[in-house]
Amino acid sequence: MKIILQQDEKKLGKKGDLVEVSEGYARNYILPKKIGVEATPANMNDLKLKKANDEKIAKEQLAAAQELAAQLAEKIVEVRIKAGEGGKTFGSVSAKEISAAMKEQYGIDVDKKKLQLPEALKNLGSYEVSVKLHPQVTGKITVKVTTQEG
């Protein structure tokens, strides 16, 4: 019997896969637990439409991520940090501070978990920070660490 999986199932396949199983297994386990549905022509058509819609959404997300990466490449985010005599800084700049500065300065909301700092930003100057926007798109942004006034 052919079954379309509604969720990932170990040893069978992933959600949306078309698998061949015995009738007893389908009738007694897969169908009652709503792990899958019978592969009728109507269900096959629904699966095809859902996959087409998922592909369309994935393409839109990829295009949006590429557009945002292009915008970020032009931007310089300025982060202020306390510094003492001779430019010695107190602490370091975190991904959370960079994310907050991006939102404040440019209105771009990027999750702090997506920022990939090369090392702890403990000194004054400019740094290039990678931003993981999509599994296939990584943008770069310039972070300028300056002293805090007062």
Side-chain angles (χ1 to χ4, degrees), residues 6 9-10 16-17 23 36 48 68-70 72 74 78 85 92 100 102-103 116-117 120 130-131 143-144:
Q6 298 292 312
E9 181 68 20
K10 268 187 178 173
D17 286 353
E23 282 197 38
K48 190 165 62 172
L68 183 58
L72 290 178
E74 304 165 0
E78 190 172 327
E85 298 288 323
S92 63
M102 284 175 67
K103 185 164 181 77
Q116 299 170 328
L117 301 176
S130 296
V131 184
V143 177
K144 185 177 180 185

Side-chain angles (χ1 to χ4, degrees), residues 67-112:
E67 186 178 317
L68 183 58
Q71 287 178 7
L72 290 178
E74 304 165 0
K75 309 250 185 261
I76 297 174
V77 177
E78 190 172 327
V79 180
R80 297 183 182 278
I81 189 170
K82 287 184 180 179
E85 298 288 323
K88 178 83 171 118
T89 61
F90 300 117
S92 63
V93 177
S94 68
K96 182 178 179 182
E97 292 169 316
I98 294 170
S99 178
M102 284 175 67
K103 185 164 181 77
E104 180 185 313
Q105 293 171 25
Y106 299 109
I108 298 173
D109 196 12
V110 174
D111 187 14
K112 66 180 182 181

Side-chain angles (χ1 to χ4, degrees), residues 4 38-47:
I4 299 170
E38 193 173 342
T40 62
N43 288 341
M44 292 294 289
N45 192 36
D46 288 347
L47 175 66

Side-chain angles (χ1 to χ4, degrees), residues 6-148:
Q6 298 292 312
Q7 63 191 42
D8 291 354
E9 181 68 20
K10 268 187 178 173
K11 299 180 184 172
L12 271 182
K14 297 202 178 285
K15 181 178 179 176
D17 286 353
L18 182 66
V19 294
E20 181 78 34
V21 295
S22 69
E23 282 197 38
Y25 186 52
R27 190 173 43 251
N28 296 320
Y29 181 74
I30 293 176
L31 298 175
K33 292 195 176 205
K34 296 188 175 24
I35 294 169
V37 294
E38 193 173 342
T40 62
N43 288 341
M44 292 294 289
N45 192 36
D46 288 347
L47 175 66
K48 190 165 62 172
L49 291 173
K50 186 172 179 343
K51 281 188 177 182
N53 188 38
D54 289 347
E55 279 183 28
K56 181 182 171 196
I57 290 171
K59 284 181 183 177
E60 288 172 359
Q61 288 174 340
L62 178 62
Q66 288 171 335
E67 186 178 317
L68 183 58
Q71 287 178 7
L72 290 178
E74 304 165 0
K75 309 250 185 261
I76 297 174
V77 177
E78 190 172 327
V79 180
R80 297 183 182 278
I81 189 170
K82 287 184 180 179
E85 298 288 323
K88 178 83 171 118
T89 61
F90 300 117
S92 63
V93 177
S94 68
K96 182 178 179 182
E97 292 169 316
I98 294 170
S99 178
M102 284 175 67
K103 185 164 181 77
E104 180 185 313
Q105 293 171 25
Y106 299 109
I108 298 173
D109 196 12
V110 174
D111 187 14
K112 66 180 182 181
K113 294 175 188 142
K114 294 183 178 188
L115 295 171
Q116 299 170 328
L117 301 176
E119 75 270 340
L121 308 182
K122 292 184 178 184
N123 297 318
L124 303 177
S126 292
Y127 298 91
E128 198 168 87
V129 176
S130 296
V131 184
K132 190 82 169 154
L133 299 169
H134 186 272
Q136 300 169 358
V137 180
T138 302
K140 295 224 184 276
I141 189 156
T142 304
V143 177
K144 185 177 180 185
V145 180
T146 59
T147 58
Q148 200 169 32

